[in-house]
Short mmCIF file of all heavy atoms in Angstrom, two decimals:
data_model
loop_
_atom_site.label_atom_id
_atom_site.label_comp_id
_atom_site.label_asym_id
_atom_site.label_seq_id
_atom_site.Cartn_x
_atom_site.Cartn_y
_atom_site.Cartn_z
N TYR A 401 80.55 -21.43 89.46
CA TYR A 401 79.44 -20.96 90.28
C TYR A 401 78.56 -19.98 89.49
O TYR A 401 77.89 -19.14 90.06
CB TYR A 401 79.96 -20.33 91.58
CG TYR A 401 80.28 -21.34 92.65
CD1 TYR A 401 81.29 -22.28 92.45
CD2 TYR A 401 79.58 -21.40 93.84
CE1 TYR A 401 81.60 -23.22 93.41
CE2 TYR A 401 79.87 -22.34 94.82
CZ TYR A 401 80.89 -23.25 94.59
OH TYR A 401 81.18 -24.20 95.55
N HIS A 402 78.59 -20.10 88.16
CA HIS A 402 77.66 -19.40 87.26
C HIS A 402 77.83 -17.88 87.25
O HIS A 402 76.85 -17.16 87.22
CB HIS A 402 76.21 -19.76 87.61
CG HIS A 402 75.94 -21.23 87.63
ND1 HIS A 402 75.69 -21.94 86.49
CD2 HIS A 402 75.94 -22.12 88.64
CE1 HIS A 402 75.52 -23.21 86.79
NE2 HIS A 402 75.68 -23.35 88.10
N LEU A 403 79.06 -17.43 87.27
CA LEU A 403 79.30 -15.99 87.19
C LEU A 403 78.58 -15.37 86.00
O LEU A 403 78.02 -14.28 86.10
CB LEU A 403 80.81 -15.73 87.06
CG LEU A 403 81.23 -14.29 86.81
CD1 LEU A 403 80.91 -13.42 88.00
CD2 LEU A 403 82.72 -14.20 86.48
N PHE A 404 78.54 -16.09 84.88
CA PHE A 404 77.98 -15.49 83.67
C PHE A 404 76.46 -15.52 83.64
O PHE A 404 75.86 -15.05 82.69
CB PHE A 404 78.61 -16.13 82.43
CG PHE A 404 80.01 -15.61 82.20
CD1 PHE A 404 81.11 -16.31 82.66
CD2 PHE A 404 80.21 -14.39 81.60
CE1 PHE A 404 82.39 -15.81 82.51
CE2 PHE A 404 81.48 -13.88 81.43
CZ PHE A 404 82.58 -14.60 81.88
N ASP A 405 75.84 -16.06 84.68
CA ASP A 405 74.38 -15.93 84.80
C ASP A 405 74.01 -14.63 85.51
O ASP A 405 72.83 -14.29 85.59
CB ASP A 405 73.79 -17.12 85.55
CG ASP A 405 73.71 -18.36 84.67
OD1 ASP A 405 72.72 -18.49 83.96
OD2 ASP A 405 74.66 -19.15 84.66
N CYS A 406 75.01 -13.94 86.03
CA CYS A 406 74.75 -12.67 86.74
C CYS A 406 74.27 -11.63 85.74
O CYS A 406 74.85 -11.46 84.68
CB CYS A 406 76.04 -12.20 87.42
SG CYS A 406 75.96 -10.50 88.02
N ILE A 407 73.16 -10.95 86.09
CA ILE A 407 72.61 -9.93 85.20
C ILE A 407 73.01 -8.53 85.65
O ILE A 407 72.55 -7.54 85.09
CB ILE A 407 71.07 -10.04 85.09
CG1 ILE A 407 70.42 -9.94 86.48
CG2 ILE A 407 70.68 -11.36 84.44
CD1 ILE A 407 68.91 -9.81 86.41
N GLU A 408 73.85 -8.44 86.65
CA GLU A 408 74.40 -7.16 87.13
C GLU A 408 73.31 -6.17 87.53
O GLU A 408 73.42 -4.97 87.29
CB GLU A 408 75.33 -6.55 86.07
CG GLU A 408 76.50 -7.47 85.73
CD GLU A 408 77.46 -6.90 84.70
OE1 GLU A 408 77.40 -5.69 84.44
OE2 GLU A 408 78.27 -7.68 84.16
N CYS A 409 72.26 -6.68 88.15
CA CYS A 409 71.13 -5.82 88.52
C CYS A 409 71.45 -4.98 89.74
O CYS A 409 70.81 -3.97 89.99
CB CYS A 409 69.89 -6.66 88.79
SG CYS A 409 70.07 -7.78 90.19
N GLY A 410 72.44 -5.39 90.54
CA GLY A 410 72.86 -4.58 91.67
C GLY A 410 72.13 -4.88 92.98
O GLY A 410 72.40 -4.24 93.99
N CYS A 411 71.20 -5.85 92.97
CA CYS A 411 70.47 -6.17 94.21
C CYS A 411 71.42 -6.57 95.34
O CYS A 411 71.23 -6.18 96.49
CB CYS A 411 69.48 -7.31 93.96
SG CYS A 411 68.06 -6.82 92.98
N CYS A 412 72.44 -7.35 95.01
CA CYS A 412 73.36 -7.84 96.04
C CYS A 412 74.09 -6.68 96.70
O CYS A 412 74.18 -6.60 97.93
CB CYS A 412 74.35 -8.84 95.44
SG CYS A 412 75.19 -8.25 93.96
N SER A 413 74.60 -5.76 95.87
CA SER A 413 75.31 -4.61 96.43
C SER A 413 74.36 -3.76 97.26
O SER A 413 74.75 -3.22 98.30
CB SER A 413 75.88 -3.74 95.31
OG SER A 413 76.70 -4.48 94.46
N TYR A 414 73.11 -3.67 96.79
CA TYR A 414 72.14 -2.82 97.48
C TYR A 414 71.88 -3.30 98.91
O TYR A 414 71.80 -2.49 99.83
CB TYR A 414 70.84 -2.80 96.68
CG TYR A 414 69.74 -1.98 97.31
CD1 TYR A 414 69.78 -0.59 97.28
CD2 TYR A 414 68.66 -2.60 97.94
CE1 TYR A 414 68.78 0.17 97.86
CE2 TYR A 414 67.66 -1.85 98.53
CZ TYR A 414 67.72 -0.46 98.49
OH TYR A 414 66.74 0.28 99.08
N VAL A 415 71.79 -4.61 99.11
CA VAL A 415 71.45 -5.12 100.44
C VAL A 415 72.67 -5.40 101.32
O VAL A 415 72.52 -5.64 102.51
CB VAL A 415 70.60 -6.42 100.37
CG1 VAL A 415 69.29 -6.15 99.67
CG2 VAL A 415 71.35 -7.54 99.68
N CYS A 416 73.86 -5.39 100.74
CA CYS A 416 75.05 -5.82 101.49
C CYS A 416 75.29 -4.96 102.72
O CYS A 416 75.53 -3.76 102.61
CB CYS A 416 76.28 -5.77 100.59
SG CYS A 416 77.78 -6.29 101.44
N PRO A 417 75.24 -5.54 103.93
CA PRO A 417 75.49 -4.74 105.13
C PRO A 417 76.95 -4.31 105.23
O PRO A 417 77.26 -3.38 105.97
CB PRO A 417 75.11 -5.67 106.28
CG PRO A 417 75.21 -7.04 105.73
CD PRO A 417 74.92 -6.94 104.26
N SER A 418 77.83 -4.99 104.49
CA SER A 418 79.23 -4.57 104.50
C SER A 418 79.52 -3.56 103.39
O SER A 418 80.67 -3.16 103.23
CB SER A 418 80.14 -5.79 104.33
OG SER A 418 80.11 -6.58 105.49
N HIS A 419 78.49 -3.19 102.61
CA HIS A 419 78.62 -2.17 101.56
C HIS A 419 79.71 -2.51 100.55
O HIS A 419 80.46 -1.64 100.10
CB HIS A 419 78.90 -0.79 102.17
CG HIS A 419 78.02 -0.48 103.35
ND1 HIS A 419 78.49 -0.02 104.53
CD2 HIS A 419 76.68 -0.60 103.51
CE1 HIS A 419 77.50 0.15 105.38
NE2 HIS A 419 76.38 -0.21 104.78
N ILE A 420 79.80 -3.77 100.20
CA ILE A 420 80.81 -4.19 99.23
C ILE A 420 80.25 -3.94 97.82
O ILE A 420 79.12 -4.32 97.54
CB ILE A 420 81.15 -5.68 99.40
CG1 ILE A 420 81.65 -5.93 100.82
CG2 ILE A 420 82.18 -6.13 98.38
CD1 ILE A 420 81.77 -7.39 101.18
N PRO A 421 81.02 -3.28 96.95
CA PRO A 421 80.53 -3.08 95.57
C PRO A 421 80.61 -4.40 94.79
O PRO A 421 81.46 -4.58 93.92
CB PRO A 421 81.47 -2.01 95.01
CG PRO A 421 82.71 -2.12 95.82
CD PRO A 421 82.33 -2.66 97.18
N LEU A 422 79.71 -5.31 95.13
CA LEU A 422 79.81 -6.68 94.61
C LEU A 422 79.78 -6.73 93.09
O LEU A 422 80.59 -7.43 92.46
CB LEU A 422 78.66 -7.52 95.18
CG LEU A 422 78.78 -7.78 96.69
CD1 LEU A 422 77.44 -8.20 97.27
CD2 LEU A 422 79.81 -8.86 96.95
N VAL A 423 78.85 -5.97 92.48
CA VAL A 423 78.70 -6.05 91.01
C VAL A 423 80.02 -5.70 90.32
O VAL A 423 80.38 -6.28 89.31
CB VAL A 423 77.56 -5.13 90.54
CG1 VAL A 423 77.41 -5.20 89.04
CG2 VAL A 423 76.27 -5.53 91.21
N ASP A 424 80.73 -4.75 90.92
CA ASP A 424 82.02 -4.35 90.36
C ASP A 424 82.99 -5.52 90.31
O ASP A 424 83.73 -5.69 89.36
CB ASP A 424 82.60 -3.25 91.24
CG ASP A 424 82.98 -2.07 90.42
OD1 ASP A 424 82.27 -1.81 89.43
OD2 ASP A 424 83.98 -1.42 90.75
N PHE A 425 82.96 -6.32 91.37
CA PHE A 425 83.84 -7.48 91.40
C PHE A 425 83.45 -8.47 90.30
O PHE A 425 84.31 -9.09 89.69
CB PHE A 425 83.77 -8.17 92.78
CG PHE A 425 84.64 -7.51 93.81
CD1 PHE A 425 84.15 -6.48 94.59
CD2 PHE A 425 85.96 -7.90 93.97
CE1 PHE A 425 84.95 -5.86 95.53
CE2 PHE A 425 86.77 -7.29 94.92
CZ PHE A 425 86.27 -6.26 95.70
N TYR A 426 82.14 -8.60 90.05
CA TYR A 426 81.71 -9.55 89.01
C TYR A 426 82.09 -9.04 87.63
O TYR A 426 82.51 -9.82 86.77
CB TYR A 426 80.20 -9.81 89.10
CG TYR A 426 79.76 -10.18 90.49
CD1 TYR A 426 78.53 -9.79 90.99
CD2 TYR A 426 80.61 -10.90 91.33
CE1 TYR A 426 78.14 -10.11 92.28
CE2 TYR A 426 80.24 -11.22 92.62
CZ TYR A 426 79.00 -10.82 93.09
OH TYR A 426 78.63 -11.13 94.36
N ARG A 427 81.94 -7.72 87.43
CA ARG A 427 82.33 -7.16 86.13
C ARG A 427 83.82 -7.37 85.91
O ARG A 427 84.26 -7.72 84.82
CB ARG A 427 82.01 -5.65 86.09
CG ARG A 427 80.54 -5.38 86.02
CD ARG A 427 80.29 -3.97 85.48
NE ARG A 427 78.93 -3.58 85.80
CZ ARG A 427 78.61 -2.69 86.73
NH1 ARG A 427 79.55 -2.04 87.37
NH2 ARG A 427 77.36 -2.42 86.98
N TYR A 428 84.57 -7.14 86.99
CA TYR A 428 86.02 -7.32 86.90
C TYR A 428 86.35 -8.77 86.54
O TYR A 428 87.14 -9.04 85.63
CB TYR A 428 86.66 -6.91 88.23
CG TYR A 428 87.99 -7.53 88.52
CD1 TYR A 428 89.13 -7.13 87.82
CD2 TYR A 428 88.12 -8.53 89.48
CE1 TYR A 428 90.35 -7.71 88.09
CE2 TYR A 428 89.35 -9.10 89.75
CZ TYR A 428 90.46 -8.70 89.05
OH TYR A 428 91.66 -9.27 89.31
N ALA A 429 85.70 -9.71 87.25
CA ALA A 429 85.99 -11.13 86.99
C ALA A 429 85.61 -11.50 85.56
O ALA A 429 86.35 -12.20 84.87
CB ALA A 429 85.23 -12.00 87.98
N LYS A 430 84.45 -11.00 85.10
CA LYS A 430 84.03 -11.32 83.73
C LYS A 430 85.04 -10.79 82.72
O LYS A 430 85.42 -11.50 81.79
CB LYS A 430 82.65 -10.70 83.45
CG LYS A 430 81.49 -11.42 84.11
CD LYS A 430 80.20 -10.70 83.79
CE LYS A 430 79.02 -11.30 84.53
NZ LYS A 430 77.79 -10.53 84.27
N SER A 431 85.47 -9.53 82.91
CA SER A 431 86.38 -8.97 81.92
C SER A 431 87.73 -9.67 81.98
O SER A 431 88.36 -9.87 80.95
CB SER A 431 86.53 -7.46 82.11
OG SER A 431 87.01 -7.20 83.40
N GLU A 432 88.14 -10.08 83.18
CA GLU A 432 89.40 -10.84 83.28
C GLU A 432 89.28 -12.16 82.51
O GLU A 432 90.20 -12.55 81.81
CB GLU A 432 89.71 -11.15 84.75
CG GLU A 432 90.38 -10.02 85.49
CD GLU A 432 91.77 -9.71 84.95
OE1 GLU A 432 92.63 -10.60 84.94
OE2 GLU A 432 91.96 -8.55 84.51
N ILE A 433 88.13 -12.82 82.68
CA ILE A 433 87.95 -14.11 82.01
C ILE A 433 87.95 -13.92 80.50
O ILE A 433 88.60 -14.66 79.76
CB ILE A 433 86.65 -14.80 82.49
CG1 ILE A 433 86.82 -15.22 83.95
CG2 ILE A 433 86.32 -16.00 81.62
CD1 ILE A 433 85.53 -15.62 84.63
N TRP A 434 87.24 -12.86 80.03
CA TRP A 434 87.23 -12.59 78.59
C TRP A 434 88.64 -12.31 78.09
O TRP A 434 89.06 -12.82 77.05
CB TRP A 434 86.32 -11.39 78.28
CG TRP A 434 84.88 -11.72 78.35
CD1 TRP A 434 84.30 -12.89 77.96
CD2 TRP A 434 83.82 -10.88 78.84
NE1 TRP A 434 82.94 -12.83 78.19
CE2 TRP A 434 82.63 -11.61 78.72
CE3 TRP A 434 83.77 -9.59 79.35
CZ2 TRP A 434 81.39 -11.10 79.10
CZ3 TRP A 434 82.55 -9.08 79.73
CH2 TRP A 434 81.37 -9.82 79.60
N ALA A 435 89.36 -11.48 78.86
CA ALA A 435 90.72 -11.11 78.43
C ALA A 435 91.60 -12.36 78.38
O ALA A 435 92.37 -12.56 77.44
CB ALA A 435 91.30 -10.09 79.39
N ARG A 436 91.44 -13.22 79.38
CA ARG A 436 92.27 -14.42 79.41
C ARG A 436 91.93 -15.36 78.28
O ARG A 436 92.80 -16.00 77.70
CB ARG A 436 92.09 -15.14 80.74
CG ARG A 436 92.89 -14.45 81.81
CD ARG A 436 92.68 -15.07 83.14
NE ARG A 436 93.27 -14.19 84.14
CZ ARG A 436 93.62 -14.58 85.35
NH1 ARG A 436 93.41 -15.82 85.71
NH2 ARG A 436 94.15 -13.74 86.18
N GLU A 437 90.63 -15.45 77.97
CA GLU A 437 90.25 -16.35 76.88
C GLU A 437 90.81 -15.85 75.56
O GLU A 437 91.25 -16.63 74.73
CB GLU A 437 88.73 -16.48 76.82
CG GLU A 437 88.28 -17.63 77.71
CD GLU A 437 86.79 -17.80 77.79
OE1 GLU A 437 86.07 -17.19 76.98
OE2 GLU A 437 86.34 -18.53 78.67
N LYS A 438 90.80 -14.52 75.41
CA LYS A 438 91.35 -13.92 74.21
C LYS A 438 92.85 -14.23 74.13
O LYS A 438 93.35 -14.65 73.10
CB LYS A 438 91.13 -12.41 74.27
CG LYS A 438 90.85 -11.77 72.94
CD LYS A 438 90.31 -10.38 73.20
CE LYS A 438 90.70 -9.43 72.10
NZ LYS A 438 90.34 -8.06 72.46
N GLU A 439 93.52 -14.00 75.26
CA GLU A 439 94.95 -14.27 75.32
C GLU A 439 95.24 -15.74 75.03
O GLU A 439 96.16 -16.07 74.32
CB GLU A 439 95.48 -13.95 76.72
CG GLU A 439 96.13 -12.60 76.84
CD GLU A 439 96.42 -12.28 78.30
OE1 GLU A 439 96.92 -13.18 79.02
OE2 GLU A 439 96.13 -11.14 78.71
N LYS A 440 94.38 -16.58 75.63
CA LYS A 440 94.59 -18.00 75.47
C LYS A 440 94.43 -18.40 74.01
O LYS A 440 95.21 -19.18 73.48
CB LYS A 440 93.59 -18.77 76.34
CG LYS A 440 93.93 -20.24 76.50
CD LYS A 440 92.95 -20.92 77.42
CE LYS A 440 93.07 -22.43 77.33
NZ LYS A 440 92.51 -22.98 76.10
N ARG A 441 93.42 -17.83 73.37
CA ARG A 441 93.21 -18.14 71.95
C ARG A 441 94.42 -17.72 71.14
O ARG A 441 94.89 -18.46 70.28
CB ARG A 441 91.95 -17.44 71.43
CG ARG A 441 90.69 -18.28 71.55
CD ARG A 441 89.61 -17.78 70.63
NE ARG A 441 89.21 -16.41 70.91
CZ ARG A 441 88.32 -16.06 71.84
NH1 ARG A 441 87.73 -17.00 72.55
NH2 ARG A 441 88.01 -14.81 72.04
N ALA A 442 94.93 -16.51 71.43
CA ALA A 442 96.09 -16.00 70.71
C ALA A 442 97.29 -16.91 70.97
O ALA A 442 98.03 -17.28 70.05
CB ALA A 442 96.39 -14.58 71.14
N ALA A 443 97.46 -17.28 72.25
CA ALA A 443 98.59 -18.13 72.61
C ALA A 443 98.46 -19.50 71.97
O ALA A 443 99.45 -20.06 71.47
CB ALA A 443 98.68 -18.25 74.13
N ASP A 444 97.23 -20.01 71.95
CA ASP A 444 96.99 -21.32 71.33
C ASP A 444 97.39 -21.29 69.86
O ASP A 444 98.02 -22.22 69.35
CB ASP A 444 95.52 -21.71 71.45
CG ASP A 444 95.20 -22.26 72.82
OD1 ASP A 444 96.16 -22.53 73.57
OD2 ASP A 444 94.01 -22.41 73.14
N LEU A 445 96.99 -20.21 69.21
CA LEU A 445 97.28 -20.07 67.79
C LEU A 445 98.79 -20.05 67.57
O LEU A 445 99.33 -20.76 66.72
CB LEU A 445 96.64 -18.77 67.28
CG LEU A 445 96.37 -18.73 65.79
CD1 LEU A 445 95.32 -19.76 65.43
CD2 LEU A 445 95.90 -17.34 65.39
N ALA A 446 99.47 -19.23 68.38
CA ALA A 446 100.92 -19.11 68.25
C ALA A 446 101.59 -20.45 68.54
O ALA A 446 102.51 -20.86 67.82
CB ALA A 446 101.44 -18.05 69.22
N ARG A 447 101.07 -21.13 69.57
CA ARG A 447 101.67 -22.42 69.91
C ARG A 447 101.45 -23.42 68.79
O ARG A 447 102.36 -24.16 68.42
CB ARG A 447 101.06 -22.93 71.22
CG ARG A 447 101.97 -23.92 71.94
CD ARG A 447 101.25 -24.63 73.05
NE ARG A 447 100.12 -25.36 72.55
CZ ARG A 447 98.87 -25.22 72.99
NH1 ARG A 447 98.62 -24.38 73.97
NH2 ARG A 447 97.89 -25.92 72.48
N GLU A 448 100.23 -23.41 68.23
CA GLU A 448 99.95 -24.34 67.15
C GLU A 448 100.88 -24.09 65.96
O GLU A 448 101.41 -25.02 65.36
CB GLU A 448 98.49 -24.20 66.70
CG GLU A 448 97.56 -25.09 67.49
CD GLU A 448 96.10 -24.71 67.28
OE1 GLU A 448 95.78 -24.17 66.21
OE2 GLU A 448 95.31 -24.95 68.21
N ARG A 449 101.06 -22.80 65.63
CA ARG A 449 101.96 -22.44 64.53
C ARG A 449 103.37 -22.94 64.81
O ARG A 449 104.00 -23.55 63.96
CB ARG A 449 101.99 -20.91 64.38
CG ARG A 449 100.86 -20.40 63.56
CD ARG A 449 101.26 -19.08 62.90
NE ARG A 449 100.06 -18.31 62.62
CZ ARG A 449 99.76 -17.19 63.26
NH1 ARG A 449 100.55 -16.69 64.17
NH2 ARG A 449 98.65 -16.56 62.96
N HIS A 450 103.82 -22.67 66.03
CA HIS A 450 105.18 -23.05 66.40
C HIS A 450 105.32 -24.57 66.34
O HIS A 450 106.29 -25.10 65.77
CB HIS A 450 105.49 -22.56 67.81
CG HIS A 450 106.81 -23.02 68.33
ND1 HIS A 450 107.98 -22.51 67.87
CD2 HIS A 450 107.12 -23.96 69.26
CE1 HIS A 450 108.98 -23.11 68.49
NE2 HIS A 450 108.49 -23.99 69.34
N GLU A 451 104.31 -25.26 66.90
CA GLU A 451 104.38 -26.71 66.92
C GLU A 451 104.39 -27.28 65.51
O GLU A 451 105.09 -28.24 65.22
CB GLU A 451 103.21 -27.29 67.72
CG GLU A 451 103.48 -27.23 69.21
CD GLU A 451 102.29 -27.68 70.02
OE1 GLU A 451 101.22 -27.96 69.44
OE2 GLU A 451 102.44 -27.74 71.26
N PHE A 452 103.60 -26.66 64.61
CA PHE A 452 103.57 -27.17 63.24
C PHE A 452 104.92 -26.95 62.57
O PHE A 452 105.42 -27.81 61.86
CB PHE A 452 102.47 -26.48 62.44
CG PHE A 452 102.38 -27.00 61.04
CD1 PHE A 452 101.87 -28.27 60.81
CD2 PHE A 452 102.86 -26.26 59.97
CE1 PHE A 452 101.82 -28.78 59.54
CE2 PHE A 452 102.82 -26.77 58.69
CZ PHE A 452 102.29 -28.03 58.47
N ARG A 453 105.54 -25.80 62.85
CA ARG A 453 106.84 -25.51 62.25
C ARG A 453 107.86 -26.53 62.74
O ARG A 453 108.62 -27.10 61.94
CB ARG A 453 107.27 -24.10 62.63
CG ARG A 453 108.61 -23.72 62.03
CD ARG A 453 108.91 -22.25 62.22
NE ARG A 453 110.22 -21.96 61.66
CZ ARG A 453 111.36 -22.08 62.35
NH1 ARG A 453 111.34 -22.48 63.61
NH2 ARG A 453 112.51 -21.81 61.77
N GLN A 454 107.82 -26.77 64.06
CA GLN A 454 108.73 -27.75 64.63
C GLN A 454 108.53 -29.10 63.97
O GLN A 454 109.49 -29.77 63.59
CB GLN A 454 108.47 -27.89 66.15
CG GLN A 454 108.89 -26.71 66.95
CD GLN A 454 110.40 -26.51 66.93
OE1 GLN A 454 110.90 -25.65 66.21
NE2 GLN A 454 111.12 -27.32 67.68
N PHE A 455 107.25 -29.44 63.82
CA PHE A 455 106.90 -30.74 63.23
C PHE A 455 107.42 -30.82 61.79
O PHE A 455 107.99 -31.82 61.36
CB PHE A 455 105.38 -30.90 63.28
CG PHE A 455 104.84 -32.00 62.41
CD1 PHE A 455 105.00 -33.32 62.80
CD2 PHE A 455 104.20 -31.71 61.21
CE1 PHE A 455 104.52 -34.33 62.00
CE2 PHE A 455 103.72 -32.71 60.42
CZ PHE A 455 103.88 -34.03 60.81
N ARG A 456 107.25 -29.70 61.05
CA ARG A 456 107.68 -29.67 59.65
C ARG A 456 109.20 -29.83 59.56
O ARG A 456 109.70 -30.63 58.77
CB ARG A 456 107.23 -28.34 59.03
CG ARG A 456 107.54 -28.22 57.55
CD ARG A 456 106.84 -27.00 56.97
NE ARG A 456 107.14 -25.77 57.71
CZ ARG A 456 108.26 -25.07 57.56
NH1 ARG A 456 109.19 -25.45 56.72
NH2 ARG A 456 108.45 -23.97 58.27
N LEU A 457 109.92 -29.09 60.42
CA LEU A 457 111.38 -29.17 60.40
C LEU A 457 111.84 -30.59 60.73
O LEU A 457 112.70 -31.15 60.05
CB LEU A 457 111.97 -28.17 61.39
CG LEU A 457 111.80 -26.71 61.00
CD1 LEU A 457 112.38 -25.82 62.09
CD2 LEU A 457 112.45 -26.41 59.66
N GLU A 458 111.20 -31.16 61.76
CA GLU A 458 111.52 -32.52 62.17
C GLU A 458 111.31 -33.48 61.01
O GLU A 458 112.15 -34.33 60.70
CB GLU A 458 110.62 -32.97 63.33
CG GLU A 458 111.05 -32.50 64.70
CD GLU A 458 112.40 -33.03 65.11
OE1 GLU A 458 112.59 -34.27 65.07
OE2 GLU A 458 113.28 -32.20 65.44
N ARG A 459 110.16 -33.30 60.36
CA ARG A 459 109.78 -34.21 59.29
C ARG A 459 110.78 -34.11 58.14
O ARG A 459 111.24 -35.12 57.62
CB ARG A 459 108.37 -33.86 58.80
CG ARG A 459 107.79 -34.86 57.82
CD ARG A 459 106.50 -34.32 57.23
NE ARG A 459 106.76 -33.08 56.51
CZ ARG A 459 105.82 -32.23 56.15
NH1 ARG A 459 104.55 -32.47 56.46
NH2 ARG A 459 106.11 -31.14 55.49
N GLU A 460 111.14 -32.88 57.81
CA GLU A 460 112.08 -32.68 56.71
C GLU A 460 113.43 -33.31 57.03
O GLU A 460 114.04 -33.98 56.20
CB GLU A 460 112.24 -31.19 56.41
CG GLU A 460 111.08 -30.67 55.59
CD GLU A 460 111.07 -29.16 55.47
OE1 GLU A 460 112.04 -28.53 55.95
OE2 GLU A 460 110.09 -28.63 54.93
N LYS A 461 113.83 -33.10 58.29
CA LYS A 461 115.12 -33.64 58.72
C LYS A 461 115.10 -35.16 58.63
O LYS A 461 116.03 -35.80 58.13
CB LYS A 461 115.35 -33.22 60.18
CG LYS A 461 116.82 -32.99 60.54
CD LYS A 461 116.89 -32.23 61.83
CE LYS A 461 117.95 -32.77 62.74
NZ LYS A 461 117.82 -32.21 64.09
N LYS A 462 113.98 -35.70 59.10
CA LYS A 462 113.83 -37.15 59.13
C LYS A 462 113.83 -37.71 57.69
O LYS A 462 114.51 -38.68 57.39
CB LYS A 462 112.51 -37.48 59.82
CG LYS A 462 112.50 -38.85 60.50
CD LYS A 462 111.24 -38.97 61.34
CE LYS A 462 110.74 -40.39 61.34
NZ LYS A 462 109.35 -40.45 61.79
N GLU A 463 113.09 -37.03 56.83
CA GLU A 463 113.01 -37.50 55.44
C GLU A 463 114.38 -37.49 54.78
O GLU A 463 114.76 -38.43 54.07
CB GLU A 463 112.05 -36.61 54.65
CG GLU A 463 110.59 -36.95 54.89
CD GLU A 463 109.65 -35.95 54.26
OE1 GLU A 463 110.13 -34.99 53.61
OE2 GLU A 463 108.44 -36.12 54.44
N LYS A 464 115.11 -36.41 55.07
CA LYS A 464 116.45 -36.26 54.49
C LYS A 464 117.33 -37.40 54.98
O LYS A 464 118.03 -38.05 54.19
CB LYS A 464 117.03 -34.92 54.93
CG LYS A 464 117.96 -34.31 53.92
CD LYS A 464 118.22 -32.87 54.32
CE LYS A 464 119.28 -32.24 53.45
NZ LYS A 464 119.57 -30.87 53.93
N ALA A 465 117.26 -37.63 56.31
CA ALA A 465 118.09 -38.68 56.90
C ALA A 465 117.72 -40.03 56.31
O ALA A 465 118.61 -40.84 55.98
CB ALA A 465 117.89 -38.69 58.41
#
Side-chain angles (χ1 to χ4, degrees):
Chain A
Y401 278 63
H402 306 278
L403 173 66
F404 284 96
D405 283 275
C406 168
I407 57 171
E408 300 181 15
C409 63
C411 288
C412 51
S413 305
Y414 178 75
V415 298
C416 180
S418 289
H419 315 131
I420 302 169
L422 292 161
V423 180
D424 232 34
F425 278 89
Y426 309 146
R427 289 200 197 108
Y428 156 72
K430 285 179 185 176
S431 59
E432 277 295 301
I433 291 167
W434 284 323
R436 282 177 191 200
E437 271 176 13
K438 215 166 148 188
E439 261 171 44
K440 194 177 166 286
R441 269 200 299 277
D444 280 348
L445 202 65
R447 204 192 60 235
E448 272 166 28
R449 276 206 205 111
H450 174 73
E451 279 175 356
F452 182 72
R453 181 170 178 273
Q454 290 294 102
F455 165 74
R456 183 170 54 80
L457 291 178
E458 279 298 306
R459 188 189 61 196
E460 281 170 5
K461 212 164 137 192
K462 207 171 146 197
E463 280 172 1
K464 211 168 173 184

